[in-house]
Amino acid sequence: MDFRKFLVLILVSTFLSFSITKKIEKKVYKEIKSTYDVEDFEFISFEIPEKEAKNLPSKFGVDNFFQITSGENQLGFAYISKAPSKTAQFDYLILLDSDLSVKKAKVLIYREEYGGEIGSKRWLKQFVGKTPENEINYPQDIVAIAGATISVRSMTTAINDLLRSLNILQSKNIL
């Protein structure tokens, strides 16, 4: 590893310790290891130019969009954000393959008494395979969950916004 990569890794690690809680970081690393079937990987902030980022449907910053590599291989990307539920917000993770197709969706922390069913693997599998060219429509494409209507709509909107943003970034050759 050359010195610049090492320095970037140290800076990203330092920045992550302030922006992503250790609890979330631990969950993200566990999901990356299991989803991509790797033990060793690099999790590097992928910075979107501010001029472009401010006009995207999803929020992109140095603390929520990451490139995932293992050795010389690019495995994909990770997007970490929050979405509103009834009275709070929940943290979620979207793992993408190198072609920007959704590989996994995961609710990392859900803070409501009701609606936590959106964190079930079975429900979240509906998003796997979606690409920047897809538009997801609720309730036509997504199964409703009684007692979690706001969270279901919120997660669907969040993933749609991410896919739209990725489509824009691809069209501008940023990704």
Side-chain angles (χ1 to χ4, degrees):
M1 180 184 314
D2 67 62
F3 180 74
R4 287 174 48 192
K5 275 189 175 179
F6 178 74
L7 184 59
V8 167
L9 187 59
I10 295 299
L11 289 172
V12 168
S13 296
T14 303
F15 188 78
L16 284 177
S17 66
F18 295 110
S19 59
I20 298 176
T21 66
K22 287 291 182 190
K23 184 176 181 180
I24 289 177
E25 184 180 327
K26 186 176 179 180
K27 288 180 179 188
V28 169
Y29 283 20
K30 179 182 173 191
E31 292 303 322
I32 290 171
K33 286 180 179 184
S34 68
T35 302
Y36 296 100
D37 195 27
V38 294
E39 278 300 314
D40 298 317
F41 62 89
E42 290 185 64
F43 188 65
I44 304 164
S45 180
F46 190 97
E47 197 165 339
I48 306 297
E50 188 177 329
K51 177 183 168 191
E52 302 297 334
K54 70 180 182 178
N55 296 316
L56 296 172
S58 289
K59 174 192 165 272
F60 284 86
V62 294
D63 61 344
N64 74 327
F65 191 57
F66 305 90
Q67 184 175 23
I68 306 165
T69 60
S70 181
E72 297 295 317
N73 299 323
Q74 179 175 321
L75 302 175
F77 296 91
Y79 181 78
I80 304 166
S81 194
K82 295 179 183 287
S85 52
K86 187 174 182 177
T87 61
Q89 290 185 323
F90 59 91
D91 298 286
Y92 66 92
L93 165 70
I94 305 299
L95 294 176
L96 305 154
D97 65 19
S98 56
D99 294 326
L100 303 177
S101 171
V102 175
K103 197 163 174 71
K104 184 167 198 168
K106 172 87 175 170
V107 173
L108 299 169
I109 299 176
Y110 193 78
R111 296 173 179 89
E112 297 279 353
E113 192 173 321
Y114 299 103
E117 295 86 357
I118 67 158
S120 78
K121 289 179 186 178
R122 183 176 179 191
W123 188 81
L124 290 167
K125 280 185 181 180
Q126 298 176 92
F127 300 106
V128 173
K130 301 297 184 197
T131 68
E133 291 80 31
N134 294 130
E135 177 75 26
I136 307 165
N137 297 303
Y138 174 80
Q140 295 85 358
D141 303 327
I142 300 298
V143 176
I145 299 174
T149 305
I150 294 169
S151 298
V152 165
R153 286 184 179 165
S154 182
M155 185 67 164
T156 303
T157 298
I159 293 178
N160 258 334
D161 286 349
L162 175 61
L163 294 174
R164 280 189 211 107
S165 296
L166 295 173
N167 194 7
I168 292 166
L169 293 170
Q170 275 185 315
S171 72
K172 295 183 176 193
N173 294 319
I174 294 171
L175 289 177

